[in-house]
């Protein structure tokens, strides 16, 4: 396993980090979000006539060693902004941090504000030392010739899988695909790829039930590309042989929609006899807005979170103190020392 210090990892993908003093490193990760006008937003669920109501927000991934993994991922995604950082003393009612009861943190990072950029949510469980990767999350694709250039300069492993397209891995094994092209002014995250066991069944779920537009299908390669708008991050479904294994490092994909639609989503899924992991519930964030969510599971068990957009817009405002909050939390994290002192190891999920 490749282990880089956070500062070096950030420098690999976020060259501007080197301009900062070493006492104030930048930290980053990924997740998608919503444009300014709800009238222009592509939709997501229930029916085609409501497609203007919902937007893909992002993907949540559990971190391995926070200082190495978090730094690498923010680098891999070439993301240079910490949008917000939040600490929690107990597990989330909607299992946002996984099935764990202890202290955890959430860090949102992206190329820009969550209202119009794909962003990522990094969750870190203080008492968990490692997770087992499954076959569910197949990677994230972004356009950044700078990321490819920095990786080459630092000797970071890159595998060219097609002309101008390189695959790389975070220390924990998460895969990222980098297109060696100039980074666009808009969000450079092109797509997130999930594995499915039955492509036709999954496309039907995401398109017919959740209202996503089908952009491409390739039966021979067992792939389908879906989304809500031409200018937004897409969801790619990739067929695999056998069942999808979620391991213990599973995350979830998230969408925003008007708060009043959340009960309708829950009712629709009950009517269609689809799996609901978390019925409509309110989630508190200390000192910030309370949001409501409904969490579903697709035919392969991929977790799908719908969050009420109005409160989420308040919650997701960029925090100018995000960098400092994250730095302070990392400096104060003595969990490794505590476990070592008591001759114990952190749990393996």
């Amino acid at each position: 396993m490749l282990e880089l210090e956070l500062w070096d990892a950030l420098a690999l993908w976020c060259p501007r980090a080197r301009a900062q003093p070493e006492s104030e490193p930048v930290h980053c990760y990924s997740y998608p979000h919503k444009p300014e006008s709800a009238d222009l937003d592509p939709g997501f669920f229930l029916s085609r006539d409501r497609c203007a109501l919902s937007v893909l927000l992002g993907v949540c991934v559990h971190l391995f060693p926070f200082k190495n993994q978090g730094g690498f991922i923010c680098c891999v995604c070439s993301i240079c902004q910490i949008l917000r950082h939040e600490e929690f003393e107990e597990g989330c009612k909607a299992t946002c941090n996984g099935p764990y009861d202890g202290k955890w943190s959430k860090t949102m990072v992206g190329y820009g504000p969550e209202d119009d950029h794909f962003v990522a949510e990094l969750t870190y469980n203080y008492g968990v030392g490692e997770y087992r990767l499954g076959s569910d999350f197949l990677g994230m694709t972004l356009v950044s010739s700078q990321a490819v250039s920095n990786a080459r300069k630092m000797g970071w492993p890159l595998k060219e899988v097609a002309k101008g397209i390189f695959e790389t891995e975070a220390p924990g094994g998460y895969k990222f695909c980098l297109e060696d092209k100039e980074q666009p002014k808009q969000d450079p995250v092109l797509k997130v790829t999930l594995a499915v066991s039955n492509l036709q069944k999954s496309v039907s779920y995401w398109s017919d039930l959740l209202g996503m537009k089908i952009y491409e299908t390739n039966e021979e390669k067992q792939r389908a590309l879906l989304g809500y708008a031409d200018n937004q991050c897409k969801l790619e479904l990739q067929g695999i042989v056998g069942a999808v294994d979620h391991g213990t490092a599973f995350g979830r994909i998230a969408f925003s929609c008007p708060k009043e639609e959340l009960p309708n989503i829950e009712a629709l899924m009950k009517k269609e006899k689809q799996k609901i992991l978390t019925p409509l519930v309110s989630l508190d964030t200390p000192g910030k807005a309370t949001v409501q969510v409904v969490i579903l599971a697709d035919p392969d068990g991929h977790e799908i979170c719908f969050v009420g957009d109005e409160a989420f817009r308040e919650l997701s405002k960029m925090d100018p103190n995000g960098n400092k909050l994250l730095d302070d939390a990392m400096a104060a994290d003595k969990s490794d020392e505590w476990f070592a002192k008591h001759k114990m190891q952190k749990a393996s999920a």
Side-chain angles (χ1 to χ4, degrees), residues 48 51 199-200 202-208 211-219 223-230 234-235 237:
R48 295 292 181 183
C51 281
L199 183 62
Q200 184 177 1
S202 294
V203 169
S204 177
Y205 180 92
W206 288 92
S207 178
D208 297 339
M212 272 191 156
K213 175 182 176 181
I214 301 173
Y215 281 85
E216 300 173 12
T217 57
N218 188 320
E219 289 292 335
R223 292 179 183 173
L225 191 68
L226 302 95
Y228 299 118
D230 296 346
K234 304 298 187 297
L235 172 66
L237 303 178

Side-chain angles (χ1 to χ4, degrees), residues 31-45 50-58 114-118 210 212 227-229 231-233 253-258 305-307 309 312-313:
Y31 218 83
H33 212 87
K34 183 169 185 173
E36 290 299 324
S37 172
D39 293 332
L40 298 177
D41 288 344
F44 169 72
F45 67 93
R50 293 183 177 180
C51 281
L53 300 181
S54 301
V55 175
L56 176 62
L57 293 177
E114 294 180 58
D115 272 352
D116 52 16
H117 287 76
F118 181 98
L210 301 182
M212 272 191 156
Y228 299 118
N231 62 347
Q232 288 190 357
C233 177
I253 197 163
F255 301 83
S256 69
C257 67
C305 176
F306 287 93
V307 57
D309 185 67
F312 188 76
R313 282 179 177 267

Side-chain angles (χ1 to χ4, degrees), residues 64 130-136 172 174 245-250 348-349:
F64 290 73
E130 61 180 357
Y131 304 89
R132 181 180 67 83
L133 286 179
S135 61
D136 50 353
Y174 293 117
D245 176 15
H246 293 277
T248 59
F250 61 90
S348 296

